[in-house]
Amino acid sequence: MLDTLFFIASIIPFLIQGISVTLQVTLFAFAIGLALASLLTPIRVFAPVSLSWLPRTYVELFRGTPLLVQLFLIYFGLPSKGIKLDALTAGILALGLNSAAYQAEIFRASIKGIPESQFLAAESLGMSRLQVYRYVVFPQAFRIALPALVNEFVTLMKESSLVAIIGVAELTRRGEYLVAYTFRALEVYIAVAMLYLVLCLTFSQGAKIIEKKLKIPGYERSR
Amino acid sequence: MKNLLLVEDLWASYGEHMVLKGVNFALKKGEKVVIVGPSGSGKSTLLKCIVRLVEPIKGKIFLDGVEVTSPKTDIRSVRAKTGFVFQNYNLFPHMTVLENIALPLRIVKKLTKKDAEEKAKIMLKTVGMDAYMDKYPLQLSGGQQQRVAIARALAMDPILLLLDEPTSALDPELRGEVLDVLRRIAREGISMLIVTHEMDFAEEVADRMLFMEDGKILAADSPAKLIHSLENERLVRFFRKLKA
Ligand SMILES: Nc1ncnc2c1ncn2[C@@H]1O[C@H](COP(=O)(O)OP(=O)(O)O)[C@@H](O)[C@H]1O
Ligand SMILES: [Mg+2]
Protein backbone atom coordinates (compact mmCIF):
# COMPACT_ATOMS: atom_id res chain seq x y z
CA MET A 1 0.00 0.00 0.00
CA LEU A 2 2.73 2.43 1.05
CA ASP A 3 4.70 1.32 -1.95
CA THR A 4 1.75 2.18 -4.20
CA LEU A 5 1.47 5.66 -2.70
CA PHE A 6 5.18 6.25 -3.13
CA PHE A 7 5.01 5.10 -6.72
CA ILE A 8 2.11 7.39 -7.52
CA ALA A 9 3.84 10.32 -5.82
CA SER A 10 6.96 9.65 -7.86
CA ILE A 11 5.18 9.72 -11.24
CA ILE A 12 3.05 12.81 -10.54
CA PRO A 13 5.75 15.35 -11.56
CA PHE A 14 6.15 13.61 -14.93
CA LEU A 15 2.38 13.53 -15.49
CA ILE A 16 1.91 17.14 -14.46
CA GLN A 17 4.03 18.20 -17.42
CA GLY A 18 1.27 16.69 -19.56
CA ILE A 19 -1.31 18.88 -17.92
CA SER A 20 0.00 21.98 -19.62
CA VAL A 21 -0.48 20.28 -23.01
CA THR A 22 -3.95 19.07 -22.02
CA LEU A 23 -4.86 22.60 -20.99
CA GLN A 24 -3.39 24.01 -24.17
CA VAL A 25 -5.40 21.62 -26.34
CA THR A 26 -8.60 22.27 -24.37
CA LEU A 27 -8.29 26.06 -24.28
CA PHE A 28 -7.45 26.44 -27.97
CA ALA A 29 -10.11 23.96 -29.03
CA PHE A 30 -12.71 25.68 -26.88
CA ALA A 31 -11.72 29.06 -28.32
CA ILE A 32 -12.04 27.75 -31.88
CA GLY A 33 -15.41 26.29 -30.96
CA LEU A 34 -16.58 29.52 -29.39
CA ALA A 35 -15.46 31.60 -32.37
CA LEU A 36 -17.13 29.28 -34.87
CA ALA A 37 -20.31 29.01 -32.82
CA SER A 38 -20.39 32.80 -32.59
CA LEU A 39 -20.35 32.85 -36.39
CA LEU A 40 -22.90 30.07 -36.85
CA THR A 41 -25.40 31.48 -34.35
CA PRO A 42 -26.05 34.85 -36.06
CA ILE A 43 -26.40 33.02 -39.37
CA ARG A 44 -29.04 30.84 -37.75
CA VAL A 45 -30.87 33.86 -36.35
CA PHE A 46 -30.58 36.45 -39.10
CA ALA A 47 -29.85 34.69 -42.37
CA PRO A 48 -32.64 34.00 -44.85
CA VAL A 49 -33.93 30.44 -45.15
CA SER A 50 -31.69 29.96 -48.20
CA LEU A 51 -28.67 30.06 -45.87
CA SER A 52 -30.05 28.51 -42.71
CA TRP A 53 -29.23 24.98 -43.90
CA LEU A 54 -25.55 25.78 -43.48
CA PRO A 55 -25.29 26.01 -39.69
CA ARG A 56 -27.87 23.24 -39.34
CA THR A 57 -25.89 20.87 -41.56
CA TYR A 58 -22.67 21.73 -39.75
CA VAL A 59 -24.17 20.85 -36.40
CA GLU A 60 -25.70 17.60 -37.70
CA LEU A 61 -22.42 16.52 -39.31
CA PHE A 62 -20.22 17.08 -36.28
CA ARG A 63 -22.66 15.78 -33.72
CA GLY A 64 -23.68 12.82 -35.84
CA THR A 65 -20.20 11.33 -36.34
CA PRO A 66 -17.66 10.06 -33.78
CA LEU A 67 -15.06 12.54 -32.62
CA LEU A 68 -12.36 9.91 -33.12
CA VAL A 69 -13.30 9.51 -36.78
CA GLN A 70 -13.20 13.30 -37.19
CA LEU A 71 -9.74 13.33 -35.64
CA PHE A 72 -8.50 10.55 -37.97
CA LEU A 73 -9.96 12.34 -40.98
CA ILE A 74 -8.01 15.48 -40.17
CA TYR A 75 -4.76 13.86 -39.10
CA PHE A 76 -4.57 10.86 -41.46
CA GLY A 77 -7.03 11.87 -44.19
CA LEU A 78 -6.13 15.46 -45.05
CA PRO A 79 -2.45 14.74 -45.92
CA SER A 80 -3.67 12.96 -49.06
CA LYS A 81 -5.01 16.36 -50.14
CA GLY A 82 -1.69 17.97 -49.34
CA ILE A 83 -2.74 19.33 -45.96
CA LYS A 84 -0.23 18.00 -43.44
CA LEU A 85 -0.82 19.06 -39.85
CA ASP A 86 1.31 18.17 -36.85
CA ALA A 87 -0.44 16.07 -34.23
CA LEU A 88 -1.02 18.95 -31.81
CA THR A 89 -2.60 21.21 -34.46
CA ALA A 90 -4.72 18.39 -35.86
CA GLY A 91 -5.91 17.50 -32.37
CA ILE A 92 -6.84 21.06 -31.50
CA LEU A 93 -8.58 21.54 -34.84
CA ALA A 94 -10.65 18.36 -34.59
CA LEU A 95 -11.74 19.09 -31.03
CA GLY A 96 -12.45 22.73 -31.91
CA LEU A 97 -14.58 21.96 -34.96
CA ASN A 98 -16.47 19.37 -32.96
CA SER A 99 -17.03 21.63 -29.97
CA ALA A 100 -18.32 24.39 -32.27
CA ALA A 101 -21.30 22.20 -33.14
CA TYR A 102 -22.16 21.65 -29.47
CA GLN A 103 -21.62 25.28 -28.54
CA ALA A 104 -23.82 26.43 -31.44
CA GLU A 105 -26.57 24.18 -30.10
CA ILE A 106 -26.13 25.63 -26.62
CA PHE A 107 -26.52 29.16 -28.00
CA ARG A 108 -29.55 28.23 -30.05
CA ALA A 109 -31.32 26.71 -27.05
CA SER A 110 -30.43 29.71 -24.89
CA ILE A 111 -31.88 32.17 -27.38
CA LYS A 112 -35.03 30.07 -27.50
CA GLY A 113 -35.22 30.48 -23.74
CA ILE A 114 -35.72 34.23 -23.97
CA PRO A 115 -39.43 34.91 -23.52
CA GLU A 116 -41.45 36.44 -26.34
CA SER A 117 -42.34 39.32 -24.01
CA GLN A 118 -38.73 40.55 -24.11
CA PHE A 119 -38.85 40.76 -27.90
CA LEU A 120 -42.18 42.58 -27.76
CA ALA A 121 -40.92 45.13 -25.24
CA ALA A 122 -37.77 45.84 -27.23
CA GLU A 123 -39.66 46.13 -30.51
CA SER A 124 -42.32 48.34 -28.96
CA LEU A 125 -39.57 50.86 -28.17
CA GLY A 126 -38.61 51.08 -31.83
CA MET A 127 -35.46 48.95 -31.73
CA SER A 128 -34.29 47.33 -34.95
CA ARG A 129 -34.03 43.55 -35.15
CA LEU A 130 -30.28 43.83 -34.79
CA GLN A 131 -30.59 46.06 -31.72
CA VAL A 132 -33.14 43.72 -30.15
CA TYR A 133 -30.66 40.86 -30.35
CA ARG A 134 -27.56 42.85 -29.51
CA TYR A 135 -28.87 44.64 -26.43
CA VAL A 136 -31.70 42.48 -25.15
CA VAL A 137 -31.51 38.89 -26.39
CA PHE A 138 -27.83 37.97 -26.66
CA PRO A 139 -26.75 39.33 -23.26
CA GLN A 140 -29.50 37.36 -21.54
CA ALA A 141 -28.99 34.27 -23.69
CA PHE A 142 -25.28 34.28 -22.85
CA ARG A 143 -26.07 34.13 -19.14
CA ILE A 144 -28.46 31.26 -19.74
CA ALA A 145 -25.77 29.52 -21.80
CA LEU A 146 -22.98 29.82 -19.22
CA PRO A 147 -23.58 26.66 -17.18
CA ALA A 148 -23.89 24.60 -20.37
CA LEU A 149 -20.73 26.22 -21.78
CA VAL A 150 -18.80 25.35 -18.63
CA ASN A 151 -20.08 21.81 -18.93
CA GLU A 152 -18.92 21.74 -22.55
CA PHE A 153 -15.48 22.98 -21.49
CA VAL A 154 -15.11 20.24 -18.90
CA THR A 155 -16.33 17.64 -21.40
CA LEU A 156 -13.79 18.91 -23.89
CA MET A 157 -11.02 18.61 -21.33
CA LYS A 158 -11.84 14.95 -20.84
CA GLU A 159 -12.29 14.30 -24.57
CA SER A 160 -8.90 15.87 -25.23
CA SER A 161 -7.43 12.59 -23.98
CA LEU A 162 -8.35 11.20 -27.41
CA VAL A 163 -5.49 13.09 -29.04
CA ALA A 164 -3.09 10.79 -27.17
CA ILE A 165 -3.90 8.30 -29.91
CA ILE A 166 -2.19 10.43 -32.57
CA GLY A 167 0.79 10.99 -30.27
CA VAL A 168 0.23 14.36 -28.63
CA ALA A 169 2.16 14.27 -25.37
CA GLU A 170 -0.66 15.35 -23.11
CA LEU A 171 -1.70 13.84 -19.80
CA THR A 172 -3.07 10.52 -21.06
CA ARG A 173 -0.18 9.99 -23.49
CA ARG A 174 2.31 10.49 -20.68
CA GLY A 175 0.42 7.89 -18.73
CA GLU A 176 0.84 5.46 -21.62
CA TYR A 177 4.59 6.07 -21.58
CA LEU A 178 4.79 5.32 -17.91
CA VAL A 179 2.82 2.12 -18.33
CA ALA A 180 5.18 1.02 -21.08
CA TYR A 181 8.18 1.55 -18.80
CA THR A 182 6.82 0.41 -15.45
CA PHE A 183 4.04 -2.07 -16.37
CA ARG A 184 2.01 -0.67 -13.48
CA ALA A 185 -1.10 0.26 -15.46
CA LEU A 186 -3.50 0.35 -12.51
CA GLU A 187 -1.50 2.83 -10.44
CA VAL A 188 -0.57 4.97 -13.44
CA TYR A 189 -4.11 5.31 -14.72
CA ILE A 190 -5.47 5.97 -11.24
CA ALA A 191 -2.97 8.84 -11.01
CA VAL A 192 -4.00 10.08 -14.48
CA ALA A 193 -7.69 9.90 -13.60
CA MET A 194 -7.10 11.79 -10.36
CA LEU A 195 -5.34 14.58 -12.19
CA TYR A 196 -8.24 14.92 -14.66
CA LEU A 197 -10.63 15.00 -11.73
CA VAL A 198 -8.67 17.79 -10.03
CA LEU A 199 -8.64 19.77 -13.29
CA CYS A 200 -12.37 19.36 -13.87
CA LEU A 201 -13.31 20.25 -10.30
CA THR A 202 -11.06 23.31 -10.36
CA PHE A 203 -12.71 24.57 -13.52
CA SER A 204 -16.29 23.93 -12.44
CA GLN A 205 -15.62 25.68 -9.14
CA GLY A 206 -13.99 28.64 -10.89
CA ALA A 207 -16.91 28.80 -13.30
CA LYS A 208 -19.36 28.94 -10.42
CA ILE A 209 -17.69 32.12 -9.21
CA ILE A 210 -17.96 33.68 -12.67
CA GLU A 211 -21.60 32.61 -12.96
CA LYS A 212 -22.34 34.25 -9.64
CA LYS A 213 -20.71 37.47 -10.82
CA LEU A 214 -22.75 37.52 -14.05
CA LYS A 215 -26.01 36.44 -12.49
CA ILE A 216 -28.92 38.81 -13.02
CA PRO A 217 -29.57 40.47 -9.64
CA GLY A 218 -32.86 39.43 -8.09
CA TYR A 219 -33.21 36.43 -10.40
CA GLU A 220 -33.62 33.77 -7.69
CA ARG A 221 -36.13 35.68 -5.70
CA SER A 222 -38.42 36.08 -8.71
CA ARG A 223 -38.62 32.35 -9.36
CA MET B 1 -60.76 68.19 -32.80
CA LYS B 2 -58.58 66.12 -35.06
CA ASN B 3 -58.30 62.34 -34.79
CA LEU B 4 -54.95 61.22 -33.47
CA LEU B 5 -55.74 57.56 -34.02
CA LEU B 6 -58.16 56.10 -36.49
CA VAL B 7 -58.82 52.38 -36.77
CA GLU B 8 -60.88 51.24 -39.74
CA ASP B 9 -62.31 47.76 -40.24
CA LEU B 10 -59.40 46.02 -38.52
CA TRP B 11 -59.09 42.24 -38.79
CA ALA B 12 -56.40 40.09 -37.21
CA SER B 13 -55.85 36.40 -36.64
CA TYR B 14 -53.40 33.91 -35.15
CA GLY B 15 -53.23 31.31 -37.87
CA GLU B 16 -56.79 30.14 -38.47
CA HIS B 17 -58.08 31.69 -35.28
CA MET B 18 -59.75 35.03 -36.15
CA VAL B 19 -59.35 37.38 -33.19
CA LEU B 20 -60.29 40.85 -34.46
CA LYS B 21 -63.35 40.94 -36.69
CA GLY B 22 -63.76 44.43 -38.03
CA VAL B 23 -62.82 46.93 -35.33
CA ASN B 24 -63.60 50.62 -35.88
CA PHE B 25 -62.87 53.50 -33.56
CA ALA B 26 -61.12 56.84 -33.30
CA LEU B 27 -59.20 58.59 -30.56
CA LYS B 28 -58.82 62.35 -30.54
CA LYS B 29 -55.71 64.18 -29.51
CA GLY B 30 -55.50 64.36 -25.72
CA GLU B 31 -58.31 61.88 -25.28
CA LYS B 32 -58.21 59.03 -22.76
CA VAL B 33 -60.03 55.96 -23.99
CA VAL B 34 -60.51 52.83 -21.91
CA ILE B 35 -61.16 49.41 -23.43
CA VAL B 36 -62.99 46.77 -21.39
CA GLY B 37 -64.24 43.34 -22.28
CA PRO B 38 -64.03 39.70 -21.32
CA SER B 39 -60.74 37.82 -21.41
CA GLY B 40 -59.93 36.61 -24.90
CA SER B 41 -62.06 39.25 -26.63
CA GLY B 42 -59.01 40.63 -28.47
CA LYS B 43 -58.07 43.71 -26.41
CA SER B 44 -54.34 42.95 -26.26
CA THR B 45 -54.29 42.02 -29.92
CA LEU B 46 -55.92 45.33 -30.82
CA LEU B 47 -53.29 47.29 -28.92
CA LYS B 48 -50.49 45.29 -30.51
CA CYS B 49 -51.90 45.83 -33.99
CA ILE B 50 -51.70 49.59 -33.53
CA VAL B 51 -47.90 49.38 -33.53
CA ARG B 52 -47.84 46.22 -35.63
CA LEU B 53 -46.46 43.95 -32.95
CA VAL B 54 -49.19 41.81 -34.48
CA GLU B 55 -49.69 42.24 -38.23
CA PRO B 56 -53.33 42.87 -39.11
CA ILE B 57 -54.66 40.93 -42.08
CA LYS B 58 -57.10 43.61 -43.17
CA GLY B 59 -58.05 47.18 -42.37
CA LYS B 60 -56.33 50.48 -41.91
CA ILE B 61 -54.80 52.30 -38.97
CA PHE B 62 -53.83 55.97 -39.06
CA LEU B 63 -51.73 57.54 -36.34
CA ASP B 64 -51.03 61.25 -36.44
CA GLY B 65 -51.75 61.33 -40.16
CA VAL B 66 -49.45 58.38 -40.95
CA GLU B 67 -50.92 55.16 -42.25
CA VAL B 68 -49.40 52.65 -39.84
CA THR B 69 -50.67 49.72 -41.90
CA SER B 70 -49.04 50.87 -45.12
CA PRO B 71 -46.09 48.67 -46.09
CA LYS B 72 -44.20 51.85 -46.95
CA THR B 73 -44.38 53.14 -43.39
CA ASP B 74 -41.25 52.70 -41.31
CA ILE B 75 -42.89 50.96 -38.38
CA ARG B 76 -39.92 51.60 -36.11
CA SER B 77 -40.47 55.35 -36.31
CA VAL B 78 -44.11 54.78 -35.37
CA ARG B 79 -43.08 52.64 -32.40
CA ALA B 80 -40.50 55.22 -31.33
CA LYS B 81 -43.25 57.80 -30.89
CA THR B 82 -45.76 55.57 -29.11
CA GLY B 83 -45.38 54.11 -25.64
CA PHE B 84 -46.44 50.56 -24.80
CA VAL B 85 -46.94 49.40 -21.23
CA PHE B 86 -47.42 45.66 -20.77
CA GLN B 87 -49.34 43.69 -18.20
CA ASN B 88 -46.16 41.98 -16.99
CA TYR B 89 -43.98 45.11 -17.18
CA ASN B 90 -41.44 43.42 -19.50
CA LEU B 91 -38.45 45.32 -18.21
CA PHE B 92 -35.03 44.08 -19.31
CA PRO B 93 -33.85 42.08 -16.28
CA HIS B 94 -30.13 42.29 -17.07
CA MET B 95 -30.04 46.09 -17.01
CA THR B 96 -30.41 48.50 -14.12
CA VAL B 97 -33.54 50.57 -13.84
CA LEU B 98 -31.66 53.56 -15.23
CA GLU B 99 -30.28 51.60 -18.19
CA ASN B 100 -33.74 50.25 -18.98
CA ILE B 101 -34.87 53.78 -19.69
CA ALA B 102 -31.64 55.26 -21.04
CA LEU B 103 -30.88 52.49 -23.55
CA PRO B 104 -33.79 53.12 -25.94
CA LEU B 105 -33.17 56.85 -25.68
CA ARG B 106 -29.59 56.23 -26.73
CA ILE B 107 -30.04 53.67 -29.50
CA VAL B 108 -33.47 54.63 -30.85
CA LYS B 109 -33.70 58.36 -30.16
CA LYS B 110 -29.93 58.76 -30.65
CA LEU B 111 -29.37 60.81 -27.52
CA THR B 112 -25.86 60.95 -26.08
CA LYS B 113 -25.25 58.71 -23.07
CA LYS B 114 -25.19 61.73 -20.78
CA ASP B 115 -28.40 63.24 -22.13
CA ALA B 116 -30.13 59.86 -22.11
CA GLU B 117 -29.27 59.25 -18.47
CA GLU B 118 -30.27 62.73 -17.48
CA LYS B 119 -33.64 62.32 -19.13
CA ALA B 120 -34.04 58.85 -17.62
CA LYS B 121 -33.48 60.30 -14.16
CA ILE B 122 -36.13 62.97 -14.74
CA MET B 123 -38.61 60.33 -15.89
CA LEU B 124 -37.84 58.18 -12.85
CA LYS B 125 -38.56 61.15 -10.64
CA THR B 126 -41.99 61.62 -12.20
CA VAL B 127 -42.94 58.05 -11.27
CA GLY B 128 -41.26 58.30 -7.86
CA MET B 129 -38.60 55.70 -8.62
CA ASP B 130 -35.45 57.85 -8.76
CA ALA B 131 -34.14 56.30 -5.55
CA TYR B 132 -34.05 52.89 -7.27
CA MET B 133 -32.18 53.76 -10.45
CA ASP B 134 -29.22 51.47 -9.70
CA LYS B 135 -31.40 48.50 -8.77
CA TYR B 136 -32.23 45.68 -11.16
CA PRO B 137 -35.88 45.07 -12.12
CA LEU B 138 -36.17 41.70 -10.41
CA GLN B 139 -35.10 43.31 -7.13
CA LEU B 140 -38.24 45.46 -7.19
CA SER B 141 -41.88 44.84 -6.35
CA GLY B 142 -44.36 44.46 -9.19
CA GLY B 143 -45.77 47.93 -8.61
CA GLN B 144 -42.29 49.43 -8.69
CA GLN B 145 -41.44 47.54 -11.88
CA GLN B 146 -44.59 48.79 -13.55
CA ARG B 147 -43.79 52.37 -12.57
CA VAL B 148 -40.37 51.97 -14.18
CA ALA B 149 -42.01 50.52 -17.30
CA ILE B 150 -44.30 53.54 -17.45
CA ALA B 151 -41.27 55.82 -17.14
CA ARG B 152 -39.56 53.91 -19.94
CA ALA B 153 -42.54 54.43 -22.22
CA LEU B 154 -42.95 58.09 -21.27
CA ALA B 155 -39.27 58.84 -21.83
CA MET B 156 -39.78 58.41 -25.56
CA ASP B 157 -42.12 61.46 -25.53
CA PRO B 158 -44.93 59.39 -27.01
CA ILE B 159 -47.83 61.02 -28.81
CA LEU B 160 -49.95 58.07 -27.69
CA LEU B 161 -49.56 55.82 -24.68
CA LEU B 162 -50.92 52.27 -25.00
CA LEU B 163 -51.46 50.45 -21.71
CA ASP B 164 -52.45 46.79 -21.61
CA GLU B 165 -53.94 45.95 -18.20
CA PRO B 166 -51.15 47.77 -16.35
CA THR B 167 -52.36 46.72 -12.89
CA SER B 168 -53.88 43.28 -13.38
CA ALA B 169 -50.67 41.36 -12.63
CA LEU B 170 -50.30 43.22 -9.33
CA ASP B 171 -51.46 42.32 -5.84
CA PRO B 172 -54.39 44.56 -4.91
CA GLU B 173 -52.33 46.52 -2.39
CA LEU B 174 -49.79 47.46 -5.09
CA ARG B 175 -52.31 48.72 -7.64
CA GLY B 176 -52.85 52.09 -6.02
CA GLU B 177 -49.31 53.34 -6.54
CA VAL B 178 -49.48 52.54 -10.27
CA LEU B 179 -52.95 54.03 -10.69
CA ASP B 180 -51.82 57.19 -8.91
CA VAL B 181 -48.98 57.58 -11.39
CA LEU B 182 -51.36 57.02 -14.30
CA ARG B 183 -53.81 59.60 -12.95
CA ARG B 184 -50.99 62.11 -12.74
CA ILE B 185 -49.86 61.39 -16.30
CA ALA B 186 -53.42 61.62 -17.57
CA ARG B 187 -53.67 65.15 -16.20
CA GLU B 188 -50.64 66.18 -18.28
CA GLY B 189 -52.80 65.90 -21.39
CA ILE B 190 -51.17 62.92 -23.11
CA SER B 191 -53.39 60.74 -25.28
CA MET B 192 -53.98 57.32 -23.78
CA LEU B 193 -55.57 54.06 -24.83
CA ILE B 194 -55.94 51.87 -21.77
CA VAL B 195 -57.14 48.32 -21.36
CA THR B 196 -58.17 48.04 -17.74
CA HIS B 197 -60.77 46.60 -15.45
CA GLU B 198 -60.26 49.24 -12.75
CA MET B 199 -63.70 50.81 -13.05
CA ASP B 200 -63.23 53.63 -10.53
CA PHE B 201 -60.06 54.65 -12.33
CA ALA B 202 -61.80 54.44 -15.72
CA GLU B 203 -64.74 56.58 -14.60
CA GLU B 204 -62.38 59.16 -13.21
CA VAL B 205 -59.87 59.37 -16.04
CA ALA B 206 -61.45 58.20 -19.28
CA ASP B 207 -63.35 60.37 -21.73
CA ARG B 208 -64.76 57.34 -23.44
CA MET B 209 -65.06 53.64 -22.92
CA LEU B 210 -65.17 50.90 -25.53
CA PHE B 211 -66.72 47.54 -24.73
CA MET B 212 -65.16 44.71 -26.70
CA GLU B 213 -66.46 41.21 -27.17
CA ASP B 214 -65.48 38.47 -29.58
CA GLY B 215 -63.22 40.70 -31.68
CA LYS B 216 -65.70 43.52 -32.09
CA ILE B 217 -66.54 46.76 -30.33
CA LEU B 218 -70.09 46.31 -29.13
CA ALA B 219 -70.57 49.62 -27.37
CA ALA B 220 -68.81 52.95 -27.00
CA ASP B 221 -69.87 55.74 -24.66
CA SER B 222 -68.80 57.65 -21.57
CA PRO B 223 -67.62 55.27 -18.83
CA ALA B 224 -70.43 56.29 -16.50
CA LYS B 225 -73.07 55.51 -19.12
CA LEU B 226 -71.64 52.10 -19.96
CA ILE B 227 -70.89 51.04 -16.40
CA HIS B 228 -74.33 51.99 -15.16
CA SER B 229 -76.17 50.99 -18.29
CA LEU B 230 -79.34 49.05 -17.73
CA GLU B 231 -80.41 48.47 -21.32
CA ASN B 232 -77.60 46.42 -22.78
CA GLU B 233 -77.89 43.00 -21.20
CA ARG B 234 -74.32 42.00 -22.07
CA LEU B 235 -72.88 45.09 -20.42
CA VAL B 236 -74.97 44.64 -17.31
CA ARG B 237 -73.79 41.07 -16.98
CA PHE B 238 -70.14 41.95 -17.65
CA PHE B 239 -69.97 44.73 -15.05
CA ARG B 240 -71.90 42.73 -12.49
CA LYS B 241 -69.38 39.90 -12.84
CA LEU B 242 -66.51 42.38 -12.54
CA LYS B 243 -67.82 43.70 -9.25
CA ALA B 244 -68.32 40.25 -7.79
N1 LIG C 1 -49.63 34.81 -29.64
C1 LIG C 1 -50.81 34.19 -29.79
N2 LIG C 1 -50.91 33.07 -30.52
C2 LIG C 1 -52.11 32.45 -30.70
N3 LIG C 1 -53.25 32.85 -30.16
C3 LIG C 1 -53.23 33.96 -29.42
C4 LIG C 1 -52.01 34.69 -29.19
N4 LIG C 1 -52.29 35.76 -28.41
C5 LIG C 1 -53.63 35.71 -28.17
N5 LIG C 1 -54.18 34.63 -28.77
C6 LIG C 1 -55.61 34.28 -28.74
O1 LIG C 1 -56.33 35.34 -29.30
C7 LIG C 1 -57.51 35.62 -28.57
C8 LIG C 1 -57.51 37.05 -28.11
O2 LIG C 1 -56.43 37.26 -27.23
P1 LIG C 1 -56.11 38.66 -26.59
O3 LIG C 1 -56.00 39.69 -27.65
O4 LIG C 1 -54.93 38.47 -25.71
O5 LIG C 1 -57.41 38.92 -25.73
P2 LIG C 1 -57.62 39.80 -24.41
O6 LIG C 1 -56.44 40.71 -24.28
O7 LIG C 1 -58.90 40.53 -24.64
O8 LIG C 1 -57.73 38.84 -23.28
C9 LIG C 1 -57.55 34.62 -27.43
O9 LIG C 1 -58.38 33.57 -27.80
C10 LIG C 1 -56.12 34.14 -27.32
O10 LIG C 1 -56.07 32.81 -26.89
MG1 LIG D 1 -55.03 40.88 -22.75
Side-chain angles (χ1 to χ4, degrees):
Chain A
M1 181 67 198
L2 211 56
D3 166 61
T4 309
L5 283 181
F6 273 126
F7 175 72
I8 288 181
S10 73
I11 59 172
I12 291 281
F14 179 78
L15 288 175
I16 278 181
Q17 288 172 57
I19 286 181
S20 78
V21 181
T22 290
L23 283 179
Q24 199 184 337
V25 171
T26 310
L27 280 171
F28 278 111
F30 189 80
I32 289 174
L34 190 62
L36 252 177
S38 304
L39 270 174
L40 290 171
T41 304
I43 297 178
R44 273 189 158 181
V45 175
F46 296 117
V49 192
S50 58
L51 269 178
S52 68
W53 61 269
L54 195 109
R56 219 171 340 114
T57 311
Y58 183 93
V59 168
E60 294 304 331
L61 273 181
F62 279 90
R63 292 202 318 169
T65 54
L67 176 55
L68 190 59
V69 175
Q70 293 163 22
L71 180 65
F72 284 173
L73 262 173
I74 288 172
Y75 187 61
F76 299 117
L78 286 187
S80 73
K81 290 279 167 236
I83 305 171
K84 263 205 179 81
L85 302 172
D86 62 86
L88 182 65
T89 312
I92 289 173
L93 192 62
L95 283 167
L97 293 177
N98 182 272
S99 182
Y102 286 91
Q103 293 189 47
E105 270 308 282
I106 290 170
F107 284 135
R108 194 183 62 86
S110 306
I111 290 168
K112 262 201 159 156
I114 305 297
E116 173 73 12
S117 57
Q118 288 287 303
F119 287 84
L120 284 177
E123 283 169 7
S124 80
L125 290 158
M127 291 189 206
S128 67
R129 214 165 118 71
L130 217 60
Q131 289 174 331
V132 173
Y133 277 91
R134 171 164 170 209
Y135 294 103
V136 177
V137 178
F138 287 149
Q140 292 186 67
F142 184 70
R143 286 175 173 85
I144 297 176
L146 257 183
L149 283 178
V150 170
N151 189 39
E152 167 61 16
F153 185 88
V154 170
T155 304
L156 200 55
M157 188 139 58
K158 289 179 286 179
E159 284 178 343
S160 74
S161 64
L162 276 183
V163 303
I165 295 172
I166 58 171
V168 179
E170 43 67 83
L171 184 50
T172 306
R173 181 68 173 173
R174 282 184 172 250
E176 285 174 9
Y177 272 134
L178 286 176
V179 173
Y181 278 103
T182 65
F183 302 105
R184 297 176 74 164
L186 182 67
E187 291 96 327
V188 169
Y189 285 126
I190 283 177
V192 168
M194 272 175 12
L195 287 175
Y196 275 110
L197 186 64
V198 169
L199 278 181
C200 289
L201 288 178
T202 310
F203 270 93
S204 344
Q205 282 317 107
K208 278 208 184 103
I209 295 170
I210 298 174
E211 270 169 46
K212 220 174 233 162
K213 277 226 162 82
L214 285 174
K215 197 193 65 190
I216 294 172
Y219 189 68
E220 267 99 33
R221 203 145 45 96
S222 71
R223 310 219 92 193
Chain B
M1 225 199 287
K2 191 168 140 250
N3 283 334
L4 175 73
L5 175 70
L6 182 64
V7 175
E8 283 181 350
D9 191 29
L10 189 70
W11 292 70
S13 73
Y14 298 103
E16 297 281 282
H17 180 31
M18 195 63 69
V19 173
L20 297 182
K21 305 170 181 173
V23 172
N24 293 281
F25 76 96
L27 183 150
K28 292 191 196 330
K29 205 162 167 213
E31 220 182 356
K32 281 88 185 141
V33 174
V34 158
I35 304 176
V36 297
S39 168
S41 56
K43 307 178 297 293
S44 299
T45 307
L46 173 58
L47 251 55
K48 284 176 187 160
C49 279
I50 291 170
V51 286
R52 279 176 42 197
L53 290 172
V54 169
E55 289 288 345
I57 53 173
K58 183 168 169 253
K60 283 186 176 165
I61 298 168
F62 296 90
L63 180 69
D64 201 24
V66 176
E67 193 196 332
V68 176
T69 38
S70 158
K72 275 182 239 136
T73 300
D74 172 22
I75 192 59
R76 270 161 51 205
S77 71
V78 173
R79 290 171 184 165
K81 61 181 186 183
T82 50
F84 206 117
V85 175
F86 299 86
Q87 188 172 346
N88 294 308
Y89 345 120
N90 299 10
L91 294 174
F92 307 129
H94 60 301
M95 297 177 200
T96 64
V97 162
L98 187 72
E99 286 164 346
N100 260 277
I101 302 173
L103 175 79
L105 290 174
R106 226 159 28 82
I107 66 174
V108 177
K109 294 279 196 200
K110 307 291 180 204
L111 264 56
T112 63
K113 190 168 155 57
K114 191 167 155 282
D115 289 349
E117 289 185 352
E118 214 146 277
K119 176 145 197 199
K121 283 177 196 166
I122 294 170
M123 298 322 297
L124 282 172
K125 212 166 245 160
T126 67
V127 298
M129 284 298 294
D130 44 324
Y132 297 88
M133 64 179 189
D134 293 325
K135 290 263 184 255
Y136 285 80
L138 299 181
Q139 297 175 314
L140 306 177
S141 74
Q144 291 173 327
Q145 288 186 58
Q146 193 61 297
R147 278 148 67 195
V148 173
I150 292 168
R152 181 173 71 178
L154 280 180
M156 306 295 278
D157 292 324
I159 58 173
L160 173 65
L161 195 56
L162 304 164
L163 300 115
D164 189 3
E165 304 205 35
T167 57
S168 56
L170 300 174
D171 295 334
E173 68 271 20
L174 295 179
R175 290 179 185 165
E177 63 186 74
V178 172
L179 292 174
D180 282 343
V181 165
L182 292 178
R183 277 190 196 97
R184 200 140 25 85
I185 296 165
R187 264 182 253 127
E188 309 272 311
I190 182 172
S191 314
M192 297 164 91
L193 184 58
I194 316 163
V195 177
T196 182
H197 290 136
E198 303 279 351
M199 286 308 123
D200 293 340
F201 169 78
E203 261 199 271
E204 187 188 330
V205 165
D207 303 298
R208 263 179 331 120
M209 179 179 271
L210 312 177
F211 177 75
M212 241 182 124
E213 196 176 81
D214 193 25
K216 277 172 270 186
I217 293 174
L218 289 193
D221 211 328
S222 76
K225 283 217 180 103
L226 286 196
I227 294 171
H228 307 295
S229 151
L230 295 172
E231 293 106 65
N232 190 327
E233 164 122 23
R234 279 195 172 121
L235 285 179
V236 174
R237 231 184 307 137
F238 175 77
F239 287 115
R240 195 187 300 140
K241 223 168 160 189
L242 210 57
K243 262 187 228 139

